[in-house]
Amino acid sequence: MIMHQPTNSQGNYNYNAFVYTDTFYEPHFHANYELIYVFKGKMQLIINGLSQELCSGEIYLIAPYTVHSFLIDKKTTAWVGLFSDDFVASFSAKNRFFAYEKFRCEKTVEDFLIMHLFYQGTPDRYMLKACLYMVCNECVNNAEKTQRNQDPDFTQKVIRHISEHLGEDLSVQQLAQELNYEYHYFSALFQKCFSINFKTFVNMLRFEQACKLLSDHSRKITQICTECGFGSLRNFNRVFKGLSGVTPSEYRKSI
C-alpha cells in the first residue's frame, strides 16, 4: 500500500526534521521535498520501486510526489528533513521535472551543514533557507540528473480535486473530464505517477480524511461515512479496517 502524507503536503514554509535509527517507513509520497543525510552506517532507500544503498556521508534529495520508502537498521543513524518548495523556489522552478541521484558534498560544506542543518530541530529561517539552497547547489553540481517519470503539476491537481470531492461518486472518466484530459491518456498518466489503481487511491484519501474527522467525537460515524464518500457503513468498516487493522469505532476509542 502506498500512502499519501497530507501533513507533509500542506502549508507554506512547511519544515520538519528528524534523526532516525532502527526505522522503517512504508512506501509513501507528499508534496514536500525530502532530504536524507547518513551520519553513520548504511540504509536502504527505495525510489519508485528501485532499491539503492546510502552510505555514511551520502545525501539524497527526493523530489515532491515521488513514491519512496526506507529502512534504517540499528547500526545506522540518518537525518531526514522535509521542506516545502517555497524554501528553494528558484531551484524548484528550474528542476521540478528532474530527479537526482545520491551525492556527496565538499567536506567544508558537509561540516557546515552538520552544524547548521543536520540536527533534529529548526534553524533560524534565514539560515534554514541558506542551508537548503546550499544543499541544492551541491546536488546540481555533484548528482547525476535524470528526467522524472512523474508530473508534479498533474499529481497535485489530481490530489486536490479528489480531496475536494471525497463525498461524491468519483471515477477515472469523470476526473479526466473535469481536469480536461483525454481518458486513455489520463488513465496511463495516473498509473505512471501513482503506481496504484484509482479506486484504491481514492479510498486511501477517504481513509485519511476519516481519521481526522473521527477525532471529533461530536460527529457521528454515519455522518463521517457520508462526508468521506464511503457510501455505506459496511464499506466504510471494510476499507478502514483494511488500511488500519481496526474499525472506525475502534479507532475512535483509541484516540
Side-chain angles (χ1 to χ4, degrees):
M1 176 61 66
I2 300 172
M3 299 298 292
H4 173 229
Q5 290 187 337
T7 55
N8 290 315
S9 297
Q10 300 171 353
N12 296 324
Y13 292 101
N14 187 329
Y15 176 80
N16 288 291
F18 309 90
V19 176
Y20 289 119
T21 187
D22 192 20
T23 303
F24 170 68
Y25 257 96
E26 296 181 351
H28 62 282
F29 64 92
H30 40 68
N32 285 356
Y33 280 96
E34 185 163 330
L35 182 65
I36 299 176
Y37 171 78
V38 181
F39 281 107
K40 66 175 183 178
K42 299 177 181 179
M43 65 174 283
Q44 183 184 31
L45 177 63
I46 301 175
I47 302 289
N48 291 324
L50 300 177
S51 178
Q52 58 183 296
E53 190 175 72
L54 292 185
C55 300
S56 176
E58 290 185 324
I59 300 174
Y60 203 107
L61 180 62
I62 302 172
Y65 297 109
T66 300
V67 177
H68 61 286
S69 63
F70 59 77
L71 174 63
I72 302 172
D73 61 32
K74 295 180 180 179
K75 298 180 180 179
T76 299
T77 303
W79 178 90
V80 178
L82 300 106
F83 59 95
S84 51
D85 62 357
D86 41 14
F87 279 105
V88 290
S90 297
F91 168 82
S92 182
K94 294 181 179 179
N95 293 275
R96 61 189 307 170
F97 295 106
F98 296 103
Y100 287 91
E101 297 299 320
K102 62 183 180 181
F103 63 97
R104 291 180 180 272
C105 292
E106 295 183 7
K107 188 64 171 63
T108 53
V109 174
E110 183 181 10
D111 290 342
F112 183 89
L113 293 173
I114 290 173
M115 179 178 295
H116 297 286
L117 181 65
F118 297 152
Y119 64 89
Q120 188 161 327
T122 304
D124 170 85
R125 180 167 174 170
Y126 296 109
M127 176 60 74
L128 177 58
K129 291 191 72 170
C131 288
L132 292 176
Y133 266 115
M134 187 179 292
V135 170
C136 290
N137 182 66
E138 291 293 307
C139 180
V140 170
N141 290 334
N142 300 307
E144 183 179 345
K145 181 172 69 172
T146 58
Q147 190 76 31
R148 293 181 63 184
N149 71 338
Q150 292 160 307
D151 180 344
D153 289 332
F154 175 80
T155 54
Q156 192 171 11
K157 285 189 292 186
V158 167
I159 293 171
R160 182 186 298 116
H161 186 88
I162 294 175
S163 298
E164 292 174 351
H165 298 84
L166 286 176
E168 304 171 15
D169 290 332
L170 295 168
S171 68
V172 178
Q173 294 89 338
Q174 175 261 338
L175 187 56
Q177 184 177 4
E178 290 286 341
L179 298 180
N180 296 315
Y181 284 89
E182 190 276 326
Y183 166 69
H184 293 95
Y185 175 76
F186 177 89
S187 182
L189 188 57
F190 182 93
Q191 185 63 34
K192 181 180 180 181
C193 287
F194 294 106
S195 302
I196 191 173
N197 71 63
F198 182 77
K199 183 178 179 180
T200 301
F201 184 78
V202 172
N203 279 338
M204 182 180 68
L205 295 184
R206 284 174 170 157
F207 165 77
E208 291 174 351
Q209 180 65 10
C211 287
K212 294 179 184 177
L213 297 180
L214 284 166
S215 63
D216 180 359
H217 287 254
S218 67
R219 290 177 179 266
K220 295 181 179 180
I221 289 180
T222 52
Q223 179 185 358
I224 294 172
C225 171
T226 301
E227 287 185 25
C228 294
F230 286 102
S232 69
L233 276 176
R234 182 179 179 181
N235 187 49
F236 186 21
N237 285 324
R238 180 184 62 81
V239 172
F240 199 96
K241 189 168 185 178
L243 290 172
S244 67
V246 296
T247 65
S249 58
E250 290 170 338
Y251 176 83
R252 168 168 276 179
K253 291 177 182 178
S254 70
I255 299 176

